[in-house]
Every structure is written in structure tokens, then in C-alpha cells.
Amino acid sequence: MRAEGSISPSTENFSLTDQEFEAIAQFAHKHFGLAMASSKKPLVSSRLARKLRQRNITRFKDYLASLDGPNADQERSGLLSLLTTNVTHFFREPHHFETLRNDVLPPLIEQARRGGRVRLWSAGCSNGQEPYSIAMTVLDICPEAAQLDFKILGTDIDPVVVQHAQAAKYPEDELAQIDAKYSKLVPKRGPDGRFPESLRKLITFGVLNLIEPFPFRGRFDAIFCRNVAIYFDNPTQQKVWSAFQNALNPGGYLFIGHSERMSGPAAQQLKTAGITTYVNLPAGRKT
Ligand SMILES: C[S@@+](CC[C@H](N)C(=O)[O-])C[C@H]1O[C@@H](n2cnc3c(N)ncnc32)[C@H](O)[C@@H]1O
């Protein structure tokens, strides 16, 4: 038996005590909105053991302290990566991109061509495949979008994935998944292998925690928040859905992930408009 708070991460069979798991679960809920059932304990234990071994940390309490220490941002981001997945790919859940192309974009492009403002948001964008897929869809039907007041925002809580997204470089096998109709926008094996500037300049990336108040003044015409809220508990999900509903223009669209469900007060204002697709009703009208 090992003493509480004192571990030997060099041992292969390291496992968190119930108390240690609870401490991590509480931290993750408070700071990231994550819901961590006790069934996750073995997974968290093995991932944390690897991390502590790499970092040569021998006491769990030292790791916990590092989450509030001088490198807290980096440490917290490392913990978040360990507790969630960044899995994503270009044009994931393709029906959403069909709705975007056929129903959402045509009136917005008209609006932008008349001098109006259009804002799309990929919230929880991971390494950027989602906002780049949105941008390709936009440029395919509105090649001059970057010259209009047409902007896409890509955000994630994890600064590491946001940096990847900004770098705009992807392995050949991932780029090969993109439909040939976008070939003009996909980098050839060039000097830097990045997505072309025409695509990059449509998107602004930033770090943003969805469980904190949103820092925007203007509203969005469409929000993609897919496969993110799945990590949150029910009350946190409902808060986030309401925050999105408030951040949408009337008639704006919200796309959520295939295993996520709309619930709580936001469901009164968000009318179903397809699979995991919702339209924000004008104020006063309810579903
Ligand atoms: C599975 S990826 C989803 C990527 C993309 N939306 C998609 O559907 O392919 C989940 C992302 O949510 C991010 N995430 C988790 N909690 C978050 C939070 N509280 N605020 C913002 N992003 C968060 C993770 O960092 C991760 O990059």
C-alpha cells in the first residue's frame, strides 16, 4: 500500500486513489466544465501516470500544485488534453456542410455583398479542420469573401491546438480527405505547405473557454460547436446552449455534435432545422 499523496510514477501499475481522482475531477469541473464519472478513473490514472513519469514528478500533490503554479496555463492545458480528445477531421459530419452551403450561406453572402457584416464561429475547433472546412465552403461559393465584411472565428480552450490551427499545415493523408472540388484551396507540396493565404485570412483563431462569459459584443450568424459539450455535465451544457443562443442573431444557426442533445431554456428559442441543427427564432417566438 502506498501513502496518500505519495506515488511512484515509475511503477507501471500506478493508480490514482479515489481521493486523488476526486481532486482532478473537481479541478476539471471547476476550470473546464468537464464531467468526469468515476468510470473514467482507470483511463485518467494511466494517462496521468505517463505524464508524471515523463515529468519526473513523484508526488501527486506536487502535480496538483503545479496546476496553480507559475506555469499554470501550460499545466492546465496539458491536463485538459489528457482528459479530452482533440479528434477531428475535415468536413466531419458532412450534412452540416451541405446545410451551410445550401441554406445558411446564400442569404449571408447576399448580405455581405450588400455591405453587411457576417460572422461564423467554430467553438471548440481543435486543430482547425472545422473552421478551414467552413472557410472552404464559403470561398467555393463566394471567392471574394475575404474582401467583404465576412469573418470566421475559430476558438479552443487548448492553446496547443490553437497554435496548430494557426500554423495551417496538415499531413498529406488528412488533406487527401478533402473533396477534389476544393483542390484550388489545398496546399500542394510547396515551400511551406500551409493553406493558402486566401483561406487563412478569412479565419481568426483564439483561445477561449466556453464555460466562461463570452467576450464578444457582436452576434454570430452561425455557430458550430460540435463534439465539445459532450464532455460537460447537464447543467453546464444547458448554460453553454443558452450562451450560444444569446450570441446568435435571430435566424442564426447552431450546429452541434452527432451525440449531443439540445436541452434547457435554449431549447425554447432554438428550432430544429435538420440533424443536430438549430435556428434561433426571433425574440418572442417560441418553438
Ligand atoms: C473532439 S474535439 C472537437 C473538434 C471539432 N469541433 C469537431 O467536431 O471535429 C473537442 C475540443 O473541445 C475542446 N474543449 C474542451 N473543453 C472546452 C472548453 N471548456 N472550452 C472550449 N473548448 C473546449 C477541446 O480542447 C477539443 O479541442
Side-chain angles (χ1 to χ4, degrees):
M1 213 176 116
R2 67 190 165 84
E4 199 66 55
S6 159
I7 58 174
S8 172
S10 55
T11 54
E12 284 304 318
N13 49 9
F14 157 74
S15 92
L16 286 174
T17 64
D18 288 347
Q19 245 182 326
E20 289 165 350
F21 175 76
E22 195 43 39
I24 289 288
Q26 277 181 16
F27 188 94
H29 186 258
K30 179 170 170 203
H31 295 278
F32 317 134
L34 303 186
M36 286 174 47
S38 50
S39 56
K40 292 258 173 79
K41 189 177 151 199
L43 181 78
V44 174
S45 238
S46 71
R47 290 185 179 175
L48 210 52
R50 205 176 320 130
K51 187 172 196 62
L52 297 184
R53 223 177 287 133
Q54 282 162 357
R55 304 272 313 282
N56 225 6
I57 298 178
T58 52
R59 293 184 314 169
F60 177 77
K61 69 173 189 181
D62 292 339
Y63 176 68
L64 211 51
S66 76
L67 297 171
D68 284 311
N71 294 324
D73 284 353
Q74 203 184 329
E75 293 295 345
R76 289 177 185 195
S77 142
L79 174 63
L80 182 86
S81 303
L82 180 149
L83 300 177
T84 62
T85 155
N86 297 126
V87 169
T88 183
H89 54 85
F90 291 105
F91 294 93
R92 183 180 196 181
E93 300 179 41
H95 57 277
H96 284 161
F97 294 93
E98 288 307 307
T99 306
L100 179 68
R101 167 184 286 269
N102 298 329
D103 303 334
V104 182
L105 287 178
L108 294 178
I109 289 171
E110 278 313 301
Q111 183 178 313
R113 284 179 175 150
R114 288 195 306 268
R117 169 187 185 280
V118 176
R119 295 290 181 272
L120 311 180
W121 179 18
S122 164
C125 68
S126 188
N127 293 301
Q129 289 85 338
E130 185 175 88
Y132 286 114
S133 305
I134 297 172
M136 283 184 212
T137 310
V138 170
L139 281 187
D140 195 43
I141 54 176
C142 181
E144 79 279 25
Q147 281 81 59
L148 308 174
D149 190 3
F150 201 119
K151 292 193 168 53
I152 300 165
L153 176 68
T155 64
D156 199 283
I157 191 176
D158 183 346
V160 177
V161 295
V162 171
Q163 268 175 21
H164 278 142
Q166 278 163 331
K169 280 185 180 184
Y170 297 91
E172 295 285 325
D173 59 333
E174 283 196 44
L175 296 175
Q177 297 161 354
I178 300 171
D179 192 292
K181 69 174 171 246
Y182 302 109
S183 60
K184 272 200 305 247
L185 299 169
V186 174
K188 308 286 165 279
R189 267 181 230 266
D192 68 0
R194 301 180 77 193
F195 274 136
E197 204 197 339
S198 56
L199 192 68
R200 282 187 277 127
K201 70 180 178 196
L202 266 186
I203 314 174
T204 304
F205 287 103
V207 175
L208 189 138
N209 184 349
L210 293 171
I211 67 160
E212 289 171 2
F214 301 159
F216 315 117
R217 261 182 277 140
R219 293 184 181 215
F220 293 89
D221 300 291
I223 300 174
F224 283 66
C225 183
R226 309 181 311 156
N227 311 300
V228 180
I230 189 149
Y231 298 110
F232 302 156
D233 62 16
N234 215 29
T236 309
Q237 278 186 10
Q238 293 192 8
K239 262 174 68 182
V240 171
W241 299 145
S242 289
F244 285 139
Q245 191 267 318
N246 283 319
L248 276 173
N249 278 322
Y253 279 75
L254 174 65
F255 297 95
I256 68 174
H258 60 283
S259 48
E260 294 160 341
R261 291 288 161 267
M262 181 52 54
S263 61
Q268 306 270 306
Q269 286 303 126
L270 292 166
K271 182 178 132 223
T272 302
I275 305 166
T276 51
T277 304
Y278 301 87
V279 176
N280 189 27
L281 294 172
R285 284 188 49 198
K286 290 195 189 297
T287 54

